[in-house]
Amino acid sequence: MPNANAKLRCNNRGGQEAGRRELVSRSLQSAQHCLEDQDFGTAYAHYLLVLNLAPELKSSVKETFQFTLFKWAEELDSLARIQDLFNCYEQALELYPNDEVICNSMGEHLFRMGFRDEAAGYFHKAVKLNPDFADAKENFYRVANWLVERWHFIMLNDSKRNLTYLKAIENAVQSGCKSVLDIGTGTGILSMFAKKAGASFVYACELSKTMYELARDVVAANNMEREIKLLHLKSLDLEIPKHIPERVSLVVTETVDAGLFGEGIVESLIHAWEHLLLQPK
């Protein structure tokens, strides 16, 4: 009797596998027919079914799936079915999470719709996945021009200004300020100044997703990713001890521009952060 039951289970599994293969085969044929008829939405649905039933086919159908996705996304865009468009890309990225072409295409749609910060994130991921992907690099640089203010480049190349910041931070750290918060870290330059000056704990917050990702890359390139805690947050949303364990002893910031009449006064900003600072004894 046990042998009979085992044989029955084996036959059932064999029947299920045969049924799966038959369904996959028919769905692939249907998808191809739909593509020939330019019915991209139905073709996309068939490919989703195929890839969920037979993930071993991901490599062989990848290019055709991409083509179908992009064509269907164009139709959804033209029909203003934005949520459906994003749902399709989310499904595609679940199947191909490390596909730079899909990431880049998602970023292009987001950019056209005005979601530039989110678009930059997808372009950046595409470049990280394939540093030689020319389209993604061009897209990332293009969106960066929208998101990174021109004065930021001026400040980074102002050696006199940066040296002044470095000396001021060194003086503060050497005077006993061992925990530092960098507000609006940008590329992370002030945080790195603080760590090199000897600060024990350095925290940095940045609201822009693009600049946050850039700071992560810069900090990692300088081998400080374990020494500087980067937070993708608006400064006023920082909480103790949720984001940083305790009040810091020094706040640094470069949230003012480099224009002759554009220099702001940071005292009001510092006052707003008194609840994050150690009070003088």
Side-chain angles (χ1 to χ4, degrees), residues 123-262:
F123 293 145
H124 182 261
K125 181 178 179 180
V127 173
K128 294 277 282 187
L129 290 168
N130 183 0
D132 296 324
F133 189 7
D135 287 348
K137 287 197 292 187
E138 181 179 345
N139 284 331
F140 182 69
Y141 295 146
R142 178 161 56 102
V143 74
N145 284 331
W146 287 90
L147 294 172
V148 182
E149 294 85 348
R150 294 295 179 184
W151 52 261
H152 200 89
F153 296 106
I154 298 173
M155 291 190 301
L156 287 175
N157 288 283
D158 188 339
S159 57
K160 182 178 180 181
R161 183 190 187 99
N162 293 335
L163 183 60
T164 300
Y165 266 94
L166 174 61
K167 289 181 177 178
I169 291 171
E170 286 177 342
N171 289 338
V173 171
Q174 291 168 7
S175 297
C177 297
K178 296 300 183 182
S179 57
V180 180
L181 172 64
D182 180 6
I183 299 175
T185 191
T187 59
I189 187 171
L190 299 188
S191 294
M192 292 187 290
F193 283 171
K195 195 61 194 178
K196 287 182 177 179
S200 301
F201 305 99
V202 180
Y203 312 97
C205 63
E206 175 57 54
L207 177 60
S208 166
K209 177 68 171 177
T210 303
M211 295 307 300
Y212 167 74
E213 294 287 352
L214 179 60
R216 287 180 59 186
D217 287 347
V218 172
V219 168
N222 285 273
N223 299 314
M224 293 187 180
E225 65 270 29
R226 295 184 179 180
E227 301 176 340
I228 298 173
K229 182 177 181 180
L230 289 166
L231 300 162
H232 180 217
L233 283 173
K234 185 178 180 179
S235 57
L236 293 176
D237 290 337
L238 278 174
E239 297 180 15
I240 299 172
K242 182 178 179 180
H243 300 116
I244 59 177
E246 58 187 1
R247 291 182 177 183
V248 298
S249 52
L250 176 66
V251 169
V252 296
T253 186
E254 180 59 313
T255 54
V256 291
D257 66 40
L260 179 61
F261 299 103

Side-chain angles (χ1 to χ4, degrees), residues 98-111:
N98 295 319
D99 188 284
E100 69 272 18
V101 178
I102 295 177
C103 287
N104 182 65
S105 181
M106 176 66 156
E108 289 175 339
H109 281 286
L110 287 166
F111 184 79

